[in-house]
Amino acid sequence: MKTVAVCGAGAMGSGIAQVAAQAGASVVVYDTNHAALEAGGKRVADALASLVARKKLDAADAAAVASRIRWTDRLEDMSEVELTVEAIIEREDIKAELFAALEGIVADDAVIATNTSSLPISRLADGLRRPERFVGMHFFNPAPVMKLVEVVAGRRTSTDVSAAVVATASAWGKVAVPVADVAGFIVNRVARPFYAEAFLALEEKVASAELIDHLFRSSAGFRMGPLELTDLIGQDVNYSVARSIFDAYEGRTRFTPQRGQAALVDAGRLGRKTKGGVYCYAESAAPAEAPAPTKVADPSGLPIVREGRAAFARLLDGLHGRAPRGLVGVGDALVGFSNGRSAASEAASAGRDVALFDWFTADAGAALGFSASSDSASAAAVALANAVDRTVFRIEDRPGLIILRTIAMLVNAAADAALDDVADEGGIDAAMRFGANYPFGLFAWAQDFGRDRVAEVLANIATETDDAMYEPSVYLKVAAR
């Protein structure tokens, strides 16, 4: 579709207009607010100038893109478009009024799309004369940068309309993923454990906020840690999504909102925009760096079995995402990787002190989190990791530690989404990679780690915590069988 209208000249609307125009479409941007139209035009002009400065676009092409966007306060100027994308305030009544007006202006075969991130597509279409041409087209902010577009079909959306929107978004250079009309679609639903588990670990005093975020960046390859990301998104926005999804799924435990985040919202600590959230921010200050790594006071006095060191080095070298089974003897202690049980539980079973390392990706840095059943086991883990050039941070002992527990729960949420036919595995993986910037697809990670082992990790966490939230999804249990 080459003729496009965008309703709403805010950050999202102007971004969508830029995307369409850069792909060669003729675009009309509508807004009733003249100041918003001016700000939207300036936003696009500044973005194009930045692309020219970074040599991503030449000046002539940038001028051509700008010339393909028309800014108007007249709804009638949209009469000739093939596709209209609504990107206004998230209020159902105001959207409904706009859609009714659009139906009286655009052609009968024109597609009307909404960029809503939370409202049901089927319900928004209920009042339309032709609901079969209504579809969700959910972009992620900033639209010119983020690759994902969730294409959401309502109950009465035509398959031809969905296919046309997928083709159009793909032609605009986006990763277009067809999604069922459910609360949270893919990304906002599946991503809930990423934030919830971090707040839970913080509440349980497993590690400091700085260390939790540091481990996600340095051990697991995420661009941002979950706590600093909630500060960037806005604690109020992130918590509101958590609450709405929890309510939509009638209190399903996997989507339980976290008390620690609610407390931040109640206190007005909403993140960067209020100069304080999980972290405190000065005008340009970033969150504090992670604490110093855990060290052994006198490593020369610690007996390290040569074979144990070599075996552990081989385990690390051959890891490539798959946490090895078994424990390595280091002096009087055993050292290995978490399988969902706590170090204390492993020690009780083995009759020896145990230290357990969290999961990490071989492509990330040299940082590792670990827990231990005793100080002597901690010293063994530190010495052994240091012997193979790994930096380690001791955290409080808990089932599944931090990284493994979070990723296993993300896989669980993805499995539930697949079970509910929200999207197929490939679509869910693409959505999380390109909409949430995850370093890997969740099903791809589970395939590498072993789906049966993910189910085992979750079952172990559920047993130790006595919390049904961690029970493996039926989808994973079937895969395990």
Side-chain angles (χ1 to χ4, degrees):
M1 291 179 274
K2 291 289 188 180
T3 53
V4 180
V6 179
C7 296
M12 181 58 77
S14 59
I16 294 170
Q18 180 187 332
V19 169
Q22 278 189 245
S26 176
V27 185
V28 178
V29 181
Y30 163 79
D31 203 300
T32 57
N33 187 323
H34 287 198
L37 288 169
E38 290 182 11
K42 184 178 186 306
R43 195 177 293 112
V44 171
D46 290 346
L48 293 174
S50 176
L51 290 173
V52 171
R54 290 183 287 126
K55 302 190 183 304
K56 302 288 186 181
L57 201 65
D58 65 38
D61 286 340
V65 171
S67 72
R68 286 195 287 271
I69 304 176
R70 185 156 57 103
W71 306 83
T72 182
D73 61 355
R74 287 169 32 89
L75 205 59
E76 295 79 8
D77 290 342
M78 300 183 170
S79 60
E80 301 297 324
V81 302
E82 300 166 275
L83 169 67
T84 298
V85 183
E86 169 272 316
I88 64 172
I89 188 171
E90 282 287 270
R91 272 187 52 183
E92 194 167 339
D93 56 337
I94 296 177
K95 289 181 188 289
E97 186 179 336
L98 174 62
F99 298 143
L102 284 172
E103 278 208 304
I105 291 172
V106 300
D108 284 347
D109 59 351
V111 174
I112 300 177
T114 174
N115 182 58
T116 183
S117 61
S118 60
L119 298 174
I121 303 304
S122 298
R123 197 167 73 207
L124 288 174
D126 277 346
L128 297 182
R129 179 169 48 85
R130 298 196 60 190
E132 70 277 2
R133 48 99 168 259
F134 187 79
V135 67
M137 196 176 186
H138 181 213
F139 289 79
F140 287 73
N141 198 27
V145 176
M146 300 299 288
K147 299 286 285 184
L148 180 68
V149 175
E150 293 177 316
V151 179
V152 190
R155 287 190 309 272
R156 291 180 283 179
T157 303
S158 160
T159 55
D160 290 342
V161 166
S162 293
V165 171
V166 167
T168 298
S170 299
W172 291 356
K174 298 299 182 183
V175 176
V177 177
V179 186
D181 186 17
V182 299
F185 308 143
I186 297 175
V187 173
N188 282 332
R189 168 178 164 152
V190 173
R192 294 334 310 157
F194 187 63
Y195 313 110
E197 284 296 329
F199 274 106
L200 188 59
L202 194 61
E203 181 182 341
E204 293 175 357
K205 296 182 171 53
V206 176
S208 66
E210 292 84 357
L211 181 52
I212 291 168
D213 282 339
H214 178 70
L215 289 174
F216 272 96
R217 293 191 306 267
S218 299
S219 291
F222 285 82
R223 295 184 188 181
M224 294 184 74
L227 297 171
E228 60 184 332
L229 183 54
T230 58
D231 269 355
L232 180 64
I233 294 169
Q235 298 298 339
D236 53 339
V237 174
N238 193 266
Y239 183 74
S240 175
V241 172
R243 279 255 38 128
S244 66
I245 291 177
F246 180 73
D247 293 341
Y249 289 98
E250 300 178 343
R252 190 185 295 184
T253 56
R254 295 208 213 285
F255 303 118
T256 302
Q258 292 301 306
R259 292 175 298 181
Q261 190 171 34
L264 288 175
V265 175
D266 290 343
R269 294 182 58 83
L270 307 182
R272 288 181 179 270
K273 60 188 176 185
T274 60
K275 306 299 182 187
V278 174
Y279 299 101
C280 293
Y281 301 89
E283 282 302 319
S284 60
E289 292 297 319
T294 306
K295 296 191 178 295
V296 178
D298 183 14
S300 63
L302 179 74
I304 300 179
V305 180
R306 180 178 300 175
E307 292 75 11
R309 179 190 296 162
F312 191 66
R314 286 195 298 273
L315 289 177
L316 290 176
D317 289 342
L319 184 59
H320 299 302
R322 183 182 289 274
R325 293 182 186 272
L327 301 170
V328 174
V330 182
D332 294 329
L334 294 172
V335 179
F337 288 84
S338 174
N339 68 347
R341 299 179 71 193
S342 64
S345 292
E346 293 282 12
S349 297
R352 294 171 66 180
D353 288 330
V354 170
L356 295 175
F357 288 104
D358 207 342
W359 183 85
F360 74 99
T361 172
D363 297 328
L368 283 171
F370 78 98
S371 68
S373 64
S374 69
D375 288 344
S376 61
S378 174
V382 173
L384 192 53
N386 290 168
V388 290
D389 300 320
R390 292 280 171 174
T391 301
V392 289
F393 298 85
R394 185 175 180 178
I395 64 176
E396 292 300 312
D397 191 27
R398 76 195 296 242
L401 301 178
I402 295 175
I403 305 296
L404 179 62
R405 183 158 156 170
T406 300
I407 297 177
M409 278 299 280
L410 286 168
V411 172
N412 224 14
D416 281 347
L419 184 69
D420 292 346
D421 292 323
V422 176
D424 61 21
E425 291 188 11
I428 293 170
D429 272 7
M432 301 315 292
R433 287 182 59 222
F434 297 107
N437 277 330
Y438 284 8
F440 40 72
L442 297 171
F443 285 107
W445 183 90
Q447 192 66 30
D448 190 36
F449 189 85
R451 296 188 185 207
D452 57 334
R453 298 184 63 197
V454 179
E456 177 190 346
V457 165
L458 289 164
N460 286 340
I461 296 171
T463 297
E464 281 208 45
T465 60
D466 194 26
D467 191 337
M469 176 172 72
Y470 296 100
E471 283 292 336
S473 167
V474 172
Y475 191 90
L476 281 180
K477 290 179 178 177
V478 170
R481 286 200 296 270

